Amino acid sequence: MRVEDLTSESEKLYCVCLEDWSEDIKEAGKHKEKWYQRMKDKGLGVKIARDDNDEIGGMIQYIPIEHSFVDGKDLYLINCIWVHGHKQGRGNFQKKGLGKALLAAAEEDVKARGAKGIVAWGLMLPFFMRASWFKKQGYKPIDRLGLQVLLWKPFNEEAIPPKWIKQKKKPVIVPGKVTVTAFINGWCPAQNIAFERAKRASAEFGDKVVFQEYGTYDRETFLEWGLSDVLFVDGKQIRTGPPPTYESIKRIIEKKVKKLNQGTVA
Ligand SMILES: CC(C)(COP(=O)(O)OP(=O)(O)OC[C@H]1O[C@@H](n2cnc3c(N)ncnc32)[C@H](O)[C@@H]1OP(=O)(O)O)[C@@H](O)C(=O)NCCC(=O)NCCS
């Protein structure tokens, strides 16, 4: 097994989070490529792990925290670590040491860049990016936002603890219409799929639905709202991880449109 930097060969695979085999990922659009092009000159770090058969099975991506969705200084944030675990496509590469090796390589890289510490985020639930996994790897919980935990590993005494940035504004609902408000950062294909499905479903209802789109890769926009990847229908947040099916998003919007047509308040 070995960990290496991104190459022109692995760049494409990285942009689809190693899921080139997936039909769903095709719905994610070009958001991650665009994000990657923007972030690669702003300190984005990517490492790729290969197993003993030289197959790519894992990736980790981390950025200077000043460009992330977290408040902090002189630290790096791990957006995500992913060791391919699906049976389909590439197959399951988990529990073979790739994850630990990727994390160690990212920490070493971030230290060499002169950062004062490294930060990860995880969920308090036993799936997706688990906070408990980072805890086991020596990361200390430092802040919480709902079920999301921020964890960190300071490298020296000067490191300042990072904090979650909270929601600052609510979407503005357009009277007489169904308002779909979508915030998209770009780094996460799962979120990009949810965004694209919501956009496509909204378009099906013509001028009954207003689709408001905010690109939060622009940090000013992110800081104005305190929202990175979030979807609202008439101001109500819709769960987007894992991405809802196209049909379920459409159903939510359709219900609101029907109420509009009946002249009742949703
Ligand atoms: C968490 C993750 C990165 C670990 O990578 P991995 O290659 O499977 O883990 P490793 O083989 O390097 O194991 C490292 C340690 O984690 C433990 N571990 C791995 N998977 C685990 C699991 N599902 N539950 C509990 N512990 C686990 C191993 O037992 C090992 O423990 P040790 O430190 O005592 O030896 C990987 O399982 C993963 O990608 N999970 C999904 C995370 C995710 O959803 N990411 C976002 C995708 S968009």
Side-chain angles (χ1 to χ4, degrees):
M1 181 244 302
R2 74 193 148 94
V3 173
E4 62 188 33
D5 287 327
L6 205 59
T7 61
S8 49
E9 180 220 341
S10 49
E11 209 174 274
K12 253 194 163 158
L13 199 54
Y14 156 73
C15 281
V16 292
C17 291
L18 317 183
E19 295 186 19
D20 53 341
W21 53 270
S22 154
E23 280 301 312
D24 281 351
I25 213 89
K26 292 185 183 142
E27 289 183 63
K30 297 277 173 212
H31 301 285
K32 187 165 175 193
E33 275 108 315
K34 285 187 194 156
W35 178 84
Y36 170 65
Q37 292 304 331
R38 286 189 190 101
M39 289 307 299
K40 69 179 186 183
D41 298 326
K42 290 186 178 161
L44 166 69
V46 181
K47 300 279 179 196
I48 296 293
R50 289 180 187 268
D51 71 0
D52 294 339
N53 298 321
D54 217 32
E55 293 289 336
I56 294 177
M59 52 170 268
I60 188 166
Q61 52 182 356
Y62 42 96
I63 53 175
I65 203 158
E66 292 82 353
H67 293 301
S68 78
F69 45 87
V70 170
D71 184 24
K73 197 172 177 303
D74 302 329
L75 304 167
Y76 269 71
L77 175 83
I78 300 169
N79 293 67
C80 86
I81 177 166
W82 169 231
V83 174
H84 195 277
H86 302 298
K87 283 199 194 96
Q88 309 100 296
R90 326 185 66 72
N92 190 349
F93 291 78
Q94 293 185 359
K95 299 193 180 176
K96 292 179 185 165
L98 270 65
K100 250 172 137 167
L102 282 163
L103 194 60
E107 287 174 13
E108 195 187 314
D109 185 22
V110 163
K111 257 186 204 160
R113 293 175 187 214
K116 292 177 180 164
I118 188 160
V119 181
W121 69 276
L123 298 181
M124 293 176 73
L125 298 171
F127 54 80
F128 201 56
M129 294 224 319
R130 300 165 191 217
S132 61
W133 189 76
F134 288 106
K135 247 177 162 174
K136 205 172 164 196
Q137 306 308 316
Y139 285 62
K140 296 230 153 42
I142 192 78
D143 197 17
R144 247 187 80 176
L145 184 62
L147 292 172
Q148 301 185 105
V149 186
L150 214 51
L151 307 102
W152 79 322
K153 199 181 244 190
F155 299 148
N156 60 43
E157 301 269 296
E158 288 170 25
I160 302 164
K163 284 190 300 227
W164 283 112
I165 293 172
K166 298 193 178 115
Q167 181 174 350
K168 294 179 184 164
K169 272 171 54 171
K170 286 186 179 164
V172 177
I173 297 166
V174 180
K177 307 269 178 193
V178 174
T179 310
V180 178
T181 315
F183 294 84
I184 180 167
N185 185 282
W187 69 267
C188 177
Q191 294 297 324
N192 300 344
I193 290 172
F195 172 89
E196 284 298 326
R197 287 179 179 165
K199 190 170 184 173
R200 193 152 56 88
S202 299
E204 285 210 31
F205 299 97
D207 64 0
K208 300 268 184 217
V209 176
V210 176
F211 186 78
Q212 302 171 332
E213 172 176 343
Y214 295 95
T216 56
Y217 48 78
D218 171 35
R219 200 138 199 275
E220 293 278 298
T221 307
F222 165 66
L223 290 175
E224 184 189 336
W225 291 87
L227 295 166
S228 182
D229 281 287
V230 192
L231 178 65
F232 296 94
V233 175
D234 276 351
K236 186 172 180 284
Q237 190 173 337
I238 309 297
R239 181 190 55 77
T240 52
T245 61
Y246 175 74
E247 287 71 27
S248 68
I249 297 184
K250 193 180 153 190
R251 260 198 310 274
I252 293 169
I253 300 171
E254 197 167 30
K255 237 165 120 181
K256 298 276 181 187
V257 170
K258 274 188 184 151
K259 283 192 179 165
L260 259 191
N261 291 343
Q262 289 160 4
T264 56
V265 178

